[in-house]
């Protein structure tokens, strides 16, 4: 097993895929290592590539508002991404990049031992829940696997593109809060 600091150090210097050549800074997950809840997004964007911290850009503001709407903040949860380095031009991370990076997420999950995993968006849901996961149809539903509740919600950037998704996503967050209270 590795400590958080050891993992962060590996990620910060990781050469395991081609994103290492174009990143400015790798972005290790961040938050409360004792949290029952792990949020998994897709990949760092431009702001995160500059700051080295998940969700510091416009998507982060949406995410913080959603957390706030159920009485939580970043110190209550742990937040990470499927790939830790920014894909050029915000393209989707390629399957081989996800494959190269997934070991870090596995170690983060072992460290945190979450009771609830929330996928933010399609890319995370298809990697973590099921390859054919349909975010539009299935967001906000829960399944139980290996002692963990799994769910997915729209990615904050999808809400920025289509604000009509905000209310549905707030409802999904209320379900997450309810699940937390049953633990
Ligand atoms: N989008 C993501 O999926 N993750 C981040 O950290 C920032 C934007
Ligand atoms: Fe390493 Fe992941 Fe960054 Fe690729 S995306 S270089 S595997 S940390």
């Amino acid at each position: 097993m590795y400590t958080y600091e050891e993992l962060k150090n590996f990620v910060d210097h990781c050469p395991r895929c081609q994103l290492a050549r174009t990143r400015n800074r790798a972005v290790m997950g961040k938050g409360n290592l004792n949290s029952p809840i792990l949020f998994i997004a897709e990949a760092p964007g431009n702001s995160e590539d500059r700051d080295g911290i998940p969700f510091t850009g416009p998507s982060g503001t949406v995410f913080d508002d959603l957390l706030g709407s159920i009485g939580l903040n970043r110190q209550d949860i742990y937040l990470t991404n499927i790939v830790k380095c920014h894909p050029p031009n915000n393209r989707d991370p390629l399957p081989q990049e996800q494959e190269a990076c997934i070991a870090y997420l596995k170690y983060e999950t072992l460290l945190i031992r979450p009771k609830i995993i929330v996928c933010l968006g399609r890319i995370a849901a298809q990697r973590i829940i099921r390859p054919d996961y349909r975010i539009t149809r299935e967001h906000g539903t829960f399944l139980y696997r290996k002692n963990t509740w799994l769910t997915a919600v729209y990615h904050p950037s999808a809400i920025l593109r289509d604000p009509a998704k905000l209310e549905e996503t707030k409802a999904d967050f209320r379900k997450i809060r309810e699940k937390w209270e049953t633990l």
Side-chain angles (χ1 to χ4, degrees):
M1 234 347 254
Y2 298 109
T3 66
Y4 176 81
E5 286 70 27
E6 285 167 334
L7 276 178
K8 182 173 186 321
N9 194 45
F10 287 139
V11 165
D12 284 348
H13 303 100
C14 178
R16 284 173 50 91
C17 83
Q18 62 187 353
L19 297 179
R21 296 204 293 270
T22 48
R23 74 174 176 230
N24 181 34
R25 292 182 66 179
V27 181
M28 176 62 178
K30 193 170 160 57
N32 185 337
L33 300 175
N34 297 310
S35 178
I37 182 161
L38 168 62
F39 285 88
I40 305 174
E42 177 176 331
N46 286 308
S47 316
E48 295 76 24
D49 182 61
R50 182 193 60 220
D51 300 336
I53 294 169
F55 275 130
T56 56
S59 294
T61 308
V62 175
F63 180 67
D64 286 335
D65 289 348
L66 287 164
L67 276 183
S69 74
I70 55 167
L72 300 177
N73 63 41
R74 298 271 185 121
Q75 284 77 54
D76 298 314
I77 59 110
Y78 187 90
L79 171 62
T80 193
N81 285 297
I82 295 282
V83 300
K84 304 328 192 207
C85 300
H86 173 55
N89 306 313
N90 285 322
R91 65 160 170 76
D92 289 350
L94 301 174
Q96 62 266 32
E97 294 161 354
Q98 298 186 31
E99 207 49 47
C101 211
I102 204 72
Y104 296 123
L105 178 59
K106 291 199 172 132
Y107 281 113
E108 287 175 294
T109 309
L110 286 171
L111 265 182
I112 296 152
R113 292 187 293 114
K115 297 202 161 53
I116 304 174
I117 293 178
V118 181
C119 299
L120 295 167
R122 173 182 60 86
I123 295 280
Q126 292 188 342
R127 180 76 214 191
I128 302 299
I129 301 179
R130 263 196 357 265
D132 62 348
Y133 193 88
R134 297 286 300 273
I135 191 83
T136 312
R137 266 189 226 157
E138 300 182 67
H139 69 86
T141 60
F142 281 82
L143 65 123
Y144 196 64
R145 189 200 288 165
K146 293 200 233 165
N147 295 317
T148 311
W149 287 103
L150 302 179
T151 190
V153 300
Y154 285 121
H155 192 284
S157 68
I159 298 169
L160 284 172
R161 285 193 300 273
D162 176 13
K165 292 191 165 74
L166 180 62
E167 284 310 312
E168 288 177 83
T169 308
K170 279 189 175 168
D172 291 346
F173 269 69
R174 288 195 289 275
K175 290 188 212 156
I176 294 164
R177 178 80 217 191
E178 284 161 19
K179 189 61 81 185
W180 173 313
E181 279 162 12
T182 68
L183 296 177

